[in-house]
Amino acid sequence: IDVHHGDGVEEAFLTTDRVMTVSFHKWGGDFFPGTGALGDTGVGEGKGYKVNVPLSDGIGDAAYLNLFKAVVDEAASRFQPGAVVVQSGAVALAGDPIGVFNLSSRGHAACHAHVKGWGLPTLVLGGGGYTISNVARCWTLETGVHLG
């Protein structure tokens, strides 16, 4: 859950079918890192285990959450993970000076709640965010979601 493509993680697992990566990120122009096209799906044994969801500026909570649920549910159904890692980039929140999405902390946390509903072991990692008060509120809310 970020505005930047998860290029480093995708690269680390590019050629394996043991890890599926799913990245929701800004696409187009010269936005950093400039990777994560829809057709980038892995290499060799990793082909089909890398899912990229390139998005345009301004996506809000409802559209993001509907897309998130549809994509991650299908990915989980096909991959059958034993555990999940969620990278939570607060740069996707509305008002971030670098981000271009329009997500609220509640919308962001709703993605966490959805994944928590799977009942799988889940590791949550923070990432990015340039409005410190938004980052703190978002990660506090998401920690609360996971702790119940």
Side-chain angles (χ1 to χ4, degrees):
I1 307 170
D2 204 329
V3 77
H4 297 288
H5 175 237
D7 59 327
V9 175
E10 183 178 289
E11 178 74 20
F13 300 107
L14 193 63
T15 61
T16 184
D17 60 1
R18 296 184 61 210
V19 174
M20 177 173 272
T21 64
V22 182
S23 179
F24 296 82
H25 53 273
K26 158 75 172 155
W27 177 253
D30 58 358
F31 196 78
F32 181 82
T35 56
L38 187 62
D40 295 344
T41 62
V43 174
E45 290 181 17
K47 189 81 170 162
Y49 291 86
K50 313 308 163 244
V51 179
N52 284 294
V53 184
L55 302 167
S56 299
D57 295 3
I59 191 166
D61 289 346
Y64 192 96
L65 185 59
N66 286 337
L67 185 60
F68 180 85
K69 286 178 177 180
V71 172
V72 299
D73 284 353
E74 182 66 22
S77 174
R78 290 177 186 233
F79 186 67
Q80 296 294 307
V84 178
V85 177
V86 180
Q87 186 276 329
S88 191
V91 72
L93 296 174
D96 189 278
I98 293 176
V100 293
F101 293 165
N102 196 27
L103 302 182
S104 70
S105 290
R106 291 190 190 280
H108 209 267
C111 296
H112 285 263
H114 183 73
V115 171
K116 182 185 180 201
W118 295 343
L120 295 171
T122 303
L123 174 63
V124 179
L125 307 170
Y130 300 92
T131 303
I132 301 304
S133 58
N134 285 349
V135 174
R137 281 190 291 272
C138 183
W139 291 350
T140 299
L141 181 58
E142 291 169 349
T143 299
V145 164
H146 287 281
L147 295 177

